[in-house]
Amino acid sequence: MPAAILSDGGRHPVEQAASANGLFDSALAGQVKDSAQQIWLAGMGAFAKAQAEGRQVFEALVKEGANLQKKTQSAAEERIGEVTNRMSSMAGDVSSRAGQQWDKLESIFEERTAKAMKRLGVPSAKDVAELSARIDELAAKMTKLARSTAKRAETGTARTTGATRTAARRAPRRAA
């Protein structure tokens, strides 16, 4: 063994192994330390890049969201307009149908009321109008008759007086 130590520069193989392990440990520790440092720096770079790009991405997302909101809002307004038009049309149809039904109901009510009043002997509006026209016609005839009677009476008084005188003159002759 002394020869091995001498040929190796005076170191013992166990010492050489311990010394090699120390070198290996320190080289490995240095590599791990360098790798950890690189990983840390890569993480910091990624964080900084994400932070810088994050603002840009955030602003882009806000713009896209605003555009999407405009599109959605215009589509919703268009749909609301369509629905409003449909509802107005349906309301108009329902209103006209209701009006037609109301007119039918009203005419049925009028017919039944007229029949009931006729059974009770109550004159209709048409009957009252006819009677009123007849009364007006009779009133006109009465006025005309009264005027002609008044004219006859005026002229007839003179005649009657003359006729009375003539009859009075003739009367004594008959008696004689």
Side-chain angles (χ1 to χ4, degrees), residues 12-107:
H12 190 278
V14 174
E15 286 178 4
Q16 282 180 358
S19 171
N21 278 342
L23 285 176
F24 180 72
D25 287 340
S26 74
L28 183 63
Q31 286 178 349
V32 168
K33 183 179 175 186
D34 288 341
S35 290
Q37 183 70 25
Q38 287 176 348
I39 291 171
W40 171 258
L41 292 175
M44 291 299 288
F47 178 73
K49 189 170 185 175
Q51 217 174 13
E53 289 179 7
R55 287 184 188 135
Q56 293 172 350
V57 169
F58 179 76
E59 290 172 5
L61 289 174
V62 168
K63 286 179 184 177
E64 286 182 37
N67 290 337
L68 182 62
Q69 181 181 7
K70 287 177 185 176
K71 289 178 185 177
T72 305
Q73 189 172 7
S74 67
E77 288 173 356
E78 185 177 313
R79 297 285 178 157
I80 288 172
E82 291 173 8
V83 169
T84 301
N85 289 338
R86 282 190 213 152
M87 294 305 287
S88 295
S89 175
M90 288 174 61
D93 291 345
V94 168
S95 178
S96 70
R97 287 181 189 164
Q100 291 171 353
Q101 294 299 325
W102 187 256
D103 290 343
K104 285 180 185 177
L105 182 63
E106 187 177 6
S107 66

Coordinates of all heavy atoms in Angstrom, one line a residue, residues 12-107:
H12 N -3.9 8.7 0.2 CA -4.5 7.3 0.4 C -5.8 7.2 -0.4 O -6.5 8.2 -0.6 CB -4.8 7.2 1.9 CG -5.1 5.8 2.3 ND1 -6.4 5.3 2.2 CD2 -4.4 4.8 2.9 CE1 -6.4 4.1 2.6 NE2 -5.2 3.7 3.1
P13 N -6.1 6.0 -0.9 CA -7.3 5.9 -1.8 C -8.6 6.3 -1.0 O -9.5 6.8 -1.6 CB -7.4 4.4 -2.1 CG -6.0 3.9 -1.8 CD -5.3 4.8 -0.9
V14 N -8.7 6.1 0.2 CA -9.9 6.5 0.9 C -10.0 8.0 1.0 O -11.1 8.6 0.8 CB -9.9 5.9 2.4 CG1 -11.1 6.4 3.2 CG2 -9.9 4.4 2.3
E15 N -8.9 8.6 1.2 CA -8.8 10.1 1.2 C -9.2 10.6 -0.2 O -9.9 11.6 -0.3 CB -7.4 10.6 1.6 CG -7.1 10.4 3.1 CD -5.7 10.9 3.4 OE1 -5.0 11.4 2.5 OE2 -5.4 10.7 4.5
Q16 N -8.7 9.9 -1.2 CA -9.0 10.3 -2.6 C -10.5 10.2 -2.8 O -11.1 11.1 -3.4 CB -8.2 9.5 -3.6 CG -6.8 9.8 -3.7 CD -6.1 8.9 -4.8 OE1 -6.7 8.0 -5.3 NE2 -4.8 9.2 -5.0
A17 N -11.1 9.2 -2.4 CA -12.6 9.0 -2.6 C -13.3 10.1 -1.8 O -14.3 10.6 -2.3 CB -13.0 7.6 -2.1
A18 N -12.9 10.4 -0.6 CA -13.6 11.4 0.2 C -13.4 12.7 -0.5 O -14.4 13.5 -0.6 CB -13.1 11.4 1.6
S19 N -12.3 13.0 -1.0 CA -12.0 14.2 -1.7 C -12.8 14.3 -3.0 O -13.4 15.3 -3.3 CB -10.5 14.3 -2.0 OG -10.3 15.4 -2.8
A20 N -13.0 13.2 -3.7 CA -13.7 13.2 -5.0 C -15.2 13.4 -4.7 O -16.0 14.1 -5.4 CB -13.5 11.9 -5.7
N21 N -15.7 12.8 -3.6 CA -17.1 13.0 -3.2 C -17.3 14.4 -2.8 O -18.4 15.0 -3.2 CB -17.4 12.1 -2.0 CG -17.8 10.6 -2.5 OD1 -18.0 10.4 -3.6 ND2 -17.7 9.7 -1.5
G22 N -16.5 15.0 -2.2 CA -16.6 16.4 -1.8 C -16.7 17.3 -3.1 O -17.5 18.3 -3.2
L23 N -15.8 17.0 -4.0 CA -15.9 17.7 -5.3 C -17.2 17.5 -6.0 O -17.8 18.4 -6.6 CB -14.7 17.3 -6.2 CG -13.3 17.8 -5.8 CD1 -12.3 17.2 -6.7 CD2 -13.3 19.3 -5.9
F24 N -17.6 16.3 -6.0 CA -18.9 16.0 -6.7 C -20.0 16.6 -6.0 O -20.9 17.2 -6.7 CB -19.1 14.4 -6.7 CG -20.3 14.0 -7.4 CD1 -20.5 14.1 -8.8 CD2 -21.4 13.5 -6.6 CE1 -21.6 13.7 -9.4 CE2 -22.6 13.1 -7.3 CZ -22.7 13.2 -8.6
D25 N -20.0 16.6 -4.7 CA -21.1 17.3 -3.9 C -21.1 18.8 -4.2 O -22.2 19.4 -4.4 CB -20.9 17.0 -2.4 CG -21.3 15.6 -2.1 OD1 -22.0 14.9 -2.9 OD2 -20.9 15.1 -1.0
S26 N -20.0 19.4 -4.2 CA -19.9 20.8 -4.4 C -20.3 21.2 -5.9 O -20.9 22.2 -6.1 CB -18.6 21.4 -4.0 OG -17.6 21.1 -5.0
A27 N -19.9 20.3 -6.8 CA -20.3 20.6 -8.2 C -21.8 20.4 -8.4 O -22.4 21.2 -9.1 CB -19.5 19.6 -9.2
L28 N -22.3 19.4 -7.8 CA -23.8 19.1 -7.9 C -24.5 20.2 -7.2 O -25.5 20.7 -7.7 CB -24.1 17.7 -7.2 CG -25.6 17.3 -7.3 CD1 -26.0 17.1 -8.7 CD2 -25.8 16.0 -6.5
A29 N -24.1 20.7 -6.1 CA -24.7 21.8 -5.4 C -24.7 23.0 -6.2 O -25.7 23.8 -6.3 CB -24.1 22.0 -4.0
G30 N -23.6 23.2 -6.9 CA -23.5 24.4 -7.8 C -24.4 24.3 -8.9 O -25.1 25.3 -9.3
Q31 N -24.5 23.1 -9.5 CA -25.5 23.0 -10.6 C -26.9 23.1 -10.2 O -27.7 23.8 -10.9 CB -25.3 21.6 -11.3 CG -24.1 21.4 -12.1 CD -23.9 20.0 -12.7 OE1 -24.6 19.1 -12.2 NE2 -23.0 19.8 -13.6
V32 N -27.2 22.6 -9.0 CA -28.6 22.7 -8.5 C -28.9 24.2 -8.2 O -29.9 24.7 -8.5 CB -28.8 21.8 -7.3 CG1 -30.1 22.2 -6.5 CG2 -28.7 20.4 -7.6
K33 N -27.8 24.8 -7.7 CA -28.0 26.3 -7.3 C -28.2 27.1 -8.6 O -29.1 27.9 -8.7 CB -26.8 26.8 -6.6 CG -26.9 28.2 -6.2 CD -25.6 28.6 -5.4 CE -25.7 30.1 -5.1 NZ -24.4 30.5 -4.4
D34 N -27.4 26.8 -9.7 CA -27.6 27.5 -10.9 C -29.0 27.2 -11.6 O -29.6 28.1 -12.1 CB -26.5 27.1 -11.9 CG -25.1 27.6 -11.5 OD1 -25.1 28.6 -10.8 OD2 -24.1 27.1 -12.0
S35 N -29.4 26.0 -11.5 CA -30.7 25.6 -12.1 C -31.8 26.3 -11.3 O -32.8 26.8 -11.9 CB -30.9 24.1 -12.0 OG -30.1 23.4 -12.9
A36 N -31.7 26.3 -10.0 CA -32.7 27.0 -9.2 C -32.8 28.5 -9.5 O -33.9 29.1 -9.6 CB -32.5 26.7 -7.7
Q37 N -31.6 29.0 -9.7 CA -31.5 30.4 -10.1 C -32.2 30.7 -11.4 O -32.9 31.6 -11.6 CB -30.0 30.9 -10.1 CG -29.9 32.4 -10.3 CD -30.3 33.3 -9.2 OE1 -30.3 32.8 -8.0 NE2 -30.7 34.5 -9.5
Q38 N -31.9 29.8 -12.4 CA -32.5 30.0 -13.7 C -34.0 29.8 -13.7 O -34.8 30.5 -14.3 CB -31.9 29.0 -14.7 CG -30.5 29.3 -15.1 CD -29.8 28.3 -16.0 OE1 -30.4 27.2 -16.1 NE2 -28.7 28.6 -16.5
I39 N -34.5 28.8 -12.9 CA -35.9 28.6 -12.7 C -36.6 29.8 -12.1 O -37.6 30.3 -12.6 CB -36.2 27.3 -11.9 CG1 -35.8 26.1 -12.7 CG2 -37.7 27.3 -11.5 CD1 -35.8 24.8 -11.9
W40 N -36.0 30.4 -11.1 CA -36.5 31.6 -10.4 C -36.6 32.7 -11.4 O -37.6 33.4 -11.5 CB -35.6 31.9 -9.2 CG -35.9 33.3 -8.6 CD1 -35.2 34.4 -8.8 CD2 -37.1 33.6 -7.8 NE1 -35.9 35.4 -8.1 CE2 -37.0 34.9 -7.5 CE3 -38.1 32.8 -7.3 CZ2 -37.9 35.6 -6.7 CZ3 -39.0 33.5 -6.5 CH2 -39.0 34.8 -6.2
L41 N -35.5 32.9 -12.2 CA -35.5 34.0 -13.2 C -36.5 33.8 -14.3 O -37.2 34.8 -14.7 CB -34.1 34.2 -13.8 CG -33.0 34.7 -12.8 CD1 -31.6 34.7 -13.5 CD2 -33.3 36.1 -12.3
A42 N -36.7 32.6 -14.7 CA -37.7 32.3 -15.7 C -39.1 32.5 -15.2 O -39.9 33.1 -15.9 CB -37.6 30.8 -16.2
G43 N -39.3 32.2 -13.9 CA -40.6 32.5 -13.3 C -40.9 34.0 -13.2 O -42.0 34.4 -13.5
M44 N -39.9 34.7 -12.8 CA -40.0 36.1 -12.7 C -40.2 36.8 -14.1 O -41.1 37.7 -14.2 CB -38.7 36.8 -12.1 CG -38.5 36.4 -10.6 SD -39.9 37.0 -9.6 CE -39.6 38.7 -9.6
G45 N -39.5 36.3 -15.1 CA -39.7 36.8 -16.5 C -41.2 36.5 -17.0 O -41.8 37.3 -17.6
A46 N -41.6 35.2 -16.7 CA -43.0 34.8 -17.1 C -44.0 35.7 -16.4 O -45.0 36.1 -17.0 CB -43.2 33.4 -16.8
F47 N -43.8 36.0 -15.1 CA -44.7 36.8 -14.3 C -44.8 38.2 -14.9 O -45.8 38.8 -15.1 CB -44.3 36.8 -12.9 CG -45.2 37.7 -12.0 CD1 -46.5 37.3 -11.7 CD2 -44.7 38.9 -11.6 CE1 -47.3 38.1 -10.9 CE2 -45.5 39.8 -10.8 CZ -46.8 39.3 -10.5
A48 N -43.6 38.8 -15.2 CA -43.5 40.1 -15.7 C -44.2 40.2 -17.1 O -45.0 41.1 -17.4 CB -42.1 40.6 -15.8
K49 N -43.9 39.2 -17.9 CA -44.5 39.1 -19.3 C -46.0 38.9 -19.2 O -46.8 39.6 -19.9 CB -43.9 38.0 -20.1 CG -44.3 38.0 -21.5 CD -43.5 37.0 -22.3 CE -43.9 37.1 -23.8 NZ -43.1 36.3 -24.6
A50 N -46.5 38.1 -18.3 CA -47.9 37.9 -18.1 C -48.6 39.2 -17.6 O -49.7 39.5 -18.0 CB -48.2 36.7 -17.1
Q51 N -47.9 39.9 -16.7 CA -48.4 41.1 -16.2 C -48.5 42.1 -17.3 O -49.5 42.8 -17.5 CB -47.5 41.7 -15.1 CG -48.2 42.3 -14.0 CD -47.2 42.7 -12.8 OE1 -46.0 42.7 -13.0 NE2 -47.8 43.0 -11.7
A52 N -47.5 42.3 -18.1 CA -47.5 43.2 -19.2 C -48.6 42.8 -20.3 O -49.3 43.6 -20.8 CB -46.1 43.4 -19.9
E53 N -48.5 41.6 -20.7 CA -49.5 41.1 -21.7 C -50.9 41.0 -21.1 O -51.8 41.0 -21.8 CB -49.0 39.8 -22.2 CG -47.8 39.9 -23.1 CD -47.3 38.6 -23.7 OE1 -48.0 37.6 -23.5 OE2 -46.2 38.6 -24.3
G54 N -50.9 40.8 -19.8 CA -52.2 40.6 -19.1 C -53.1 41.9 -19.3 O -54.3 41.8 -19.5
R55 N -52.4 43.0 -19.2 CA -53.1 44.3 -19.4 C -53.7 44.4 -20.9 O -54.8 44.8 -21.1 CB -52.2 45.5 -19.1 CG -51.9 45.7 -17.7 CD -51.1 46.9 -17.4 NE -50.7 46.9 -16.0 CZ -49.5 47.2 -15.6 NH1 -48.5 47.5 -16.5 NH2 -49.2 47.2 -14.3
Q56 N -52.8 44.0 -21.8 CA -53.2 44.0 -23.2 C -54.3 43.0 -23.4 O -55.3 43.3 -24.1 CB -52.0 43.7 -24.1 CG -51.0 44.8 -24.1 CD -49.7 44.4 -24.9 OE1 -49.6 43.2 -25.3 NE2 -48.8 45.3 -25.1
V57 N -54.2 41.8 -22.9 CA -55.2 40.8 -23.0 C -56.5 41.3 -22.3 O -57.6 41.1 -22.9 CB -54.7 39.4 -22.4 CG1 -55.9 38.5 -22.3 CG2 -53.6 38.9 -23.2
F58 N -56.4 41.9 -21.2 CA -57.6 42.4 -20.5 C -58.3 43.4 -21.3 O -59.5 43.4 -21.5 CB -57.2 43.0 -19.1 CG -58.3 43.5 -18.3 CD1 -59.2 42.7 -17.7 CD2 -58.5 44.9 -18.2 CE1 -60.3 43.2 -16.9 CE2 -59.6 45.4 -17.5 CZ -60.4 44.6 -16.9
E59 N -57.5 44.4 -21.9 CA -58.1 45.4 -22.7 C -58.8 44.8 -24.0 O -59.8 45.2 -24.4 CB -57.0 46.5 -23.1 CG -56.6 47.3 -21.9 CD -55.4 48.2 -22.2 OE1 -55.0 48.3 -23.4 OE2 -54.9 48.9 -21.3
A60 N -58.1 43.8 -24.5 CA -58.7 43.1 -25.7 C -60.0 42.4 -25.3 O -61.0 42.5 -26.1 CB -57.7 42.1 -26.3
L61 N -60.0 41.8 -24.2 CA -61.2 41.1 -23.7 C -62.3 42.1 -23.4 O -63.5 41.9 -23.7 CB -60.9 40.3 -22.4 CG -60.1 39.1 -22.6 CD1 -59.7 38.4 -21.3 CD2 -60.8 38.1 -23.5
V62 N -62.0 43.3 -22.9 CA -63.0 44.3 -22.6 C -63.6 44.8 -24.0 O -64.8 44.9 -24.1 CB -62.4 45.5 -21.9 CG1 -63.3 46.7 -21.9 CG2 -62.1 45.1 -20.4
K63 N -62.7 45.0 -25.0 CA -63.2 45.4 -26.3 C -64.1 44.4 -26.9 O -65.2 44.7 -27.5 CB -62.0 45.7 -27.2 CG -61.3 47.0 -27.0 CD -60.2 47.2 -27.9 CE -59.4 48.5 -27.6 NZ -58.2 48.7 -28.5
E64 N -63.7 43.1 -26.8 CA -64.5 42.0 -27.4 C -65.8 41.9 -26.6 O -66.9 41.7 -27.2 CB -63.8 40.7 -27.3 CG -62.7 40.5 -28.3 CD -62.0 39.2 -28.2 OE1 -62.7 38.2 -27.9 OE2 -60.8 39.1 -28.4
G65 N -65.8 42.1 -25.3 CA -67.0 42.1 -24.5 C -68.0 43.2 -24.9 O -69.2 43.0 -25.0
A66 N -67.4 44.4 -25.2 CA -68.3 45.5 -25.6 C -68.9 45.3 -26.9 O -70.1 45.5 -27.2 CB -67.4 46.8 -25.6
N67 N -68.1 44.7 -27.9 CA -68.6 44.4 -29.2 C -69.7 43.3 -29.1 O -70.8 43.4 -29.7 CB -67.5 43.9 -30.1 CG -66.6 45.0 -30.5 OD1 -66.9 46.2 -30.5 ND2 -65.4 44.6 -30.9
L68 N -69.5 42.3 -28.3 CA -70.5 41.3 -28.1 C -71.7 41.8 -27.4 O -72.8 41.5 -27.9 CB -69.9 40.2 -27.2 CG -70.8 38.9 -27.0 CD1 -71.1 38.3 -28.3 CD2 -70.1 38.0 -26.0
Q69 N -71.6 42.7 -26.5 CA -72.7 43.4 -25.9 C -73.6 44.1 -26.9 O -74.8 44.1 -26.9 CB -72.3 44.3 -24.7 CG -73.5 44.9 -24.0 CD -73.1 45.9 -22.9 OE1 -71.9 46.1 -22.7 NE2 -74.0 46.3 -22.2
K70 N -72.9 44.9 -27.8 CA -73.6 45.7 -28.8 C -74.4 44.7 -29.7 O -75.5 45.0 -30.0 CB -72.6 46.5 -29.6 CG -72.1 47.7 -28.9 CD -71.1 48.5 -29.7 CE -70.4 49.6 -28.9 NZ -69.4 50.2 -29.7
K71 N -73.7 43.7 -30.2 CA -74.4 42.7 -31.0 C -75.6 42.0 -30.3 O -76.6 41.9 -30.9 CB -73.4 41.6 -31.5 CG -72.3 42.1 -32.5 CD -71.4 41.0 -32.8 CE -70.2 41.4 -33.7 NZ -69.3 40.4 -34.0
T72 N -75.4 41.6 -29.1 CA -76.4 41.0 -28.4 C -77.6 41.9 -28.1 O -78.7 41.6 -28.3 CB -75.9 40.5 -27.0 OG1 -74.8 39.6 -27.2 CG2 -76.9 39.7 -26.2
Q73 N -77.3 43.2 -27.8 CA -78.3 44.2 -27.5 C -79.1 44.5 -28.8 O -80.3 44.6 -28.7 CB -77.7 45.5 -27.0 CG -78.7 46.5 -26.5 CD -78.0 47.6 -25.7 OE1 -76.8 47.7 -25.7 NE2 -78.8 48.5 -25.1
S74 N -78.4 44.6 -29.9 CA -79.1 44.9 -31.2 C -80.0 43.7 -31.6 O -81.1 43.9 -32.0 CB -78.2 45.3 -32.3 OG -77.4 44.2 -32.7
A75 N -79.5 42.5 -31.3 CA -80.3 41.3 -31.6 C -81.5 41.2 -30.7 O -82.6 40.9 -31.1 CB -79.4 40.0 -31.5
A76 N -81.3 41.6 -29.4 CA -82.4 41.5 -28.5 C -83.4 42.6 -28.8 O -84.6 42.3 -28.8 CB -81.9 41.8 -27.1
E77 N -83.0 43.8 -29.2 CA -83.9 44.9 -29.6 C -84.7 44.4 -30.9 O -85.9 44.7 -31.0 CB -83.2 46.2 -29.8 CG -82.7 46.8 -28.6 CD -81.8 48.0 -28.8 OE1 -81.5 48.3 -30.0 OE2 -81.4 48.7 -27.8
E78 N -84.0 43.8 -31.8 CA -84.7 43.3 -33.0 C -85.8 42.3 -32.6 O -86.9 42.3 -33.1 CB -83.7 42.7 -33.9 CG -84.3 42.3 -35.3 CD -83.2 41.7 -36.2 OE1 -82.1 42.3 -36.3 OE2 -83.4 40.6 -36.8
R79 N -85.4 41.4 -31.7 CA -86.4 40.4 -31.3 C -87.6 41.0 -30.6 O -88.7 40.6 -30.7 CB -85.7 39.3 -30.4 CG -84.6 38.5 -31.0 CD -85.2 37.5 -31.9 NE -84.1 36.8 -32.5 CZ -84.2 35.6 -33.0 NH1 -85.4 35.0 -33.0 NH2 -83.2 35.0 -33.6
I80 N -87.2 42.0 -29.7 CA -88.3 42.7 -29.0 C -89.2 43.4 -30.0 O -90.4 43.4 -29.8 CB -87.7 43.7 -28.0 CG1 -87.1 42.9 -26.8 CG2 -88.7 44.7 -27.5 CD1 -86.3 43.8 -25.8
G81 N -88.7 44.0 -31.0 CA -89.5 44.6 -32.0 C -90.4 43.6 -32.7 O -91.6 43.9 -32.9
E82 N -89.8 42.5 -33.1 CA -90.6 41.4 -33.7 C -91.8 41.0 -32.8 O -92.9 40.8 -33.2 CB -89.8 40.2 -34.1 CG -88.8 40.5 -35.2 CD -87.8 39.4 -35.5 OE1 -88.0 38.3 -34.8 OE2 -86.9 39.5 -36.3
V83 N -91.4 40.7 -31.5 CA -92.4 40.3 -30.6 C -93.5 41.3 -30.4 O -94.7 41.0 -30.3 CB -91.7 39.9 -29.2 CG1 -92.8 39.6 -28.1 CG2 -90.9 38.6 -29.4
T84 N -93.1 42.6 -30.3 CA -94.0 43.7 -30.1 C -95.0 43.8 -31.3 O -96.2 43.9 -31.1 CB -93.3 45.0 -30.0 OG1 -92.4 44.9 -28.8 CG2 -94.2 46.2 -29.8
N85 N -94.4 43.6 -32.5 CA -95.3 43.6 -33.7 C -96.3 42.5 -33.7 O -97.5 42.6 -34.0 CB -94.5 43.6 -35.0 CG -93.7 44.9 -35.2 OD1 -94.1 45.9 -34.7 ND2 -92.7 44.8 -36.0
R86 N -95.8 41.3 -33.3 CA -96.7 40.1 -33.2 C -97.8 40.3 -32.2 O -98.9 40.0 -32.4 CB -95.9 38.9 -32.9 CG -95.1 38.3 -34.0 CD -94.6 36.9 -33.7 NE -93.3 36.7 -34.4 CZ -92.3 36.0 -34.0 NH1 -92.5 35.3 -32.8 NH2 -91.2 35.8 -34.6
M87 N -97.4 40.9 -31.0 CA -98.4 41.1 -30.0 C -99.4 42.1 -30.4 O -100.6 42.0 -30.1 CB -97.7 41.5 -28.7 CG -96.8 40.4 -28.1 SD -97.6 38.8 -27.8 CE -98.6 39.3 -26.4
S88 N -98.9 43.2 -31.1 CA -99.9 44.2 -31.5 C -100.8 43.6 -32.5 O -102.0 43.9 -32.5 CB -99.1 45.4 -32.2 OG -98.3 46.0 -31.2
S89 N -100.3 42.8 -33.4 CA -101.2 42.1 -34.4 C -102.2 41.2 -33.8 O -103.4 41.2 -34.1 CB -100.3 41.3 -35.4 OG -101.1 40.6 -36.3
M90 N -101.7 40.5 -32.8 CA -102.6 39.5 -32.1 C -103.6 40.3 -31.3 O -104.8 40.0 -31.3 CB -101.8 38.6 -31.1 CG -101.0 37.6 -31.9 SD -99.9 36.6 -30.8 CE -101.1 35.9 -29.7
A91 N -103.2 41.4 -30.7 CA -104.2 42.3 -29.9 C -105.2 42.8 -30.9 O -106.4 42.9 -30.5 CB -103.4 43.4 -29.2
G92 N -104.8 43.3 -32.1 CA -105.8 43.8 -33.0 C -106.7 42.7 -33.5 O -107.9 43.0 -33.6
D93 N -106.3 41.5 -33.7 CA -107.1 40.4 -34.1 C -108.1 40.1 -33.0 O -109.3 39.9 -33.2 CB -106.3 39.2 -34.4 CG -105.5 39.3 -35.7 OD1 -105.8 40.2 -36.5 OD2 -104.6 38.5 -35.9
V94 N -107.6 40.0 -31.8 CA -108.5 39.7 -30.6 C -109.5 40.8 -30.4 O -110.7 40.6 -30.2 CB -107.7 39.5 -29.3 CG1 -108.5 39.5 -28.1 CG2 -106.8 38.2 -29.4
S95 N -109.1 42.1 -30.6 CA -110.0 43.2 -30.5 C -111.1 43.2 -31.5 O -112.3 43.4 -31.2 CB -109.2 44.5 -30.6 OG -110.1 45.6 -30.5
S96 N -110.7 42.9 -32.8 CA -111.7 42.9 -33.8 C -112.7 41.7 -33.6 O -113.9 41.8 -33.8 CB -111.1 42.8 -35.2 OG -110.5 41.5 -35.4
R97 N -112.2 40.6 -33.2 CA -113.0 39.4 -32.9 C -114.0 39.7 -31.7 O -115.2 39.4 -31.8 CB -112.2 38.2 -32.5 CG -111.5 37.6 -33.7 CD -110.8 36.4 -33.4 NE -109.9 35.9 -34.5 CZ -108.9 35.1 -34.3 NH1 -108.6 34.6 -33.1 NH2 -108.2 34.7 -35.4
A98 N -113.4 40.4 -30.7 CA -114.3 40.7 -29.6 C -115.3 41.7 -30.0 O -116.5 41.7 -29.6 CB -113.4 41.3 -28.4
G99 N -115.0 42.7 -30.9 CA -115.9 43.7 -31.4 C -117.0 43.0 -32.2 O -118.2 43.3 -32.0
Q100 N -116.7 42.0 -33.0 CA -117.7 41.3 -33.8 C -118.6 40.5 -32.8 O -119.8 40.5 -33.0 CB -117.0 40.3 -34.7 CG -116.3 41.0 -35.9 CD -115.4 40.0 -36.7 OE1 -115.3 38.8 -36.3 NE2 -114.9 40.5 -37.8
Q101 N -118.0 39.9 -31.8 CA -118.9 39.1 -30.9 C -119.8 40.1 -30.1 O -120.9 39.8 -29.8 CB -118.0 38.3 -29.9 CG -117.2 37.2 -30.6 CD -118.1 36.2 -31.3 OE1 -119.1 35.9 -30.8 NE2 -117.6 35.7 -32.4
W102 N -119.2 41.2 -29.8 CA -120.0 42.2 -29.0 C -121.2 42.7 -29.9 O -122.3 42.9 -29.4 CB -119.1 43.4 -28.6 CG -119.8 44.4 -27.7 CD1 -120.3 45.6 -28.0 CD2 -120.2 44.2 -26.3 NE1 -120.9 46.1 -26.9 CE2 -120.9 45.3 -25.9 CE3 -119.9 43.1 -25.4 CZ2 -121.3 45.4 -24.6 CZ3 -120.4 43.3 -24.1 CH2 -121.1 44.4 -23.7
D103 N -120.9 43.0 -31.2 CA -122.0 43.4 -32.1 C -123.1 42.3 -32.2 O -124.3 42.6 -32.2 CB -121.4 43.7 -33.5 CG -120.6 45.0 -33.5 OD1 -120.7 45.8 -32.5 OD2 -119.8 45.1 -34.5
K104 N -122.6 41.0 -32.3 CA -123.6 39.9 -32.3 C -124.4 39.9 -31.1 O -125.7 39.8 -31.1 CB -122.9 38.6 -32.5 CG -122.4 38.4 -33.9 CD -121.7 37.0 -34.0 CE -121.0 36.8 -35.4 NZ -120.3 35.5 -35.4
L105 N -123.8 40.0 -29.9 CA -124.5 40.0 -28.6 C -125.4 41.1 -28.5 O -126.6 41.0 -28.1 CB -123.4 40.0 -27.5 CG -124.0 39.9 -26.1 CD1 -124.7 38.6 -25.9 CD2 -122.8 40.1 -25.1
E106 N -125.0 42.3 -29.0 CA -125.9 43.5 -28.9 C -127.1 43.3 -29.8 O -128.2 43.6 -29.3 CB -125.1 44.7 -29.4 CG -125.8 46.0 -29.2 CD -124.9 47.2 -29.6 OE1 -123.8 47.0 -30.1 OE2 -125.4 48.3 -29.4
S107 N -126.9 42.8 -31.0 CA -128.1 42.6 -31.9 C -129.0 41.5 -31.3 O -130.3 41.7 -31.4 CB -127.7 42.2 -33.3 OG -127.0 41.0 -33.3

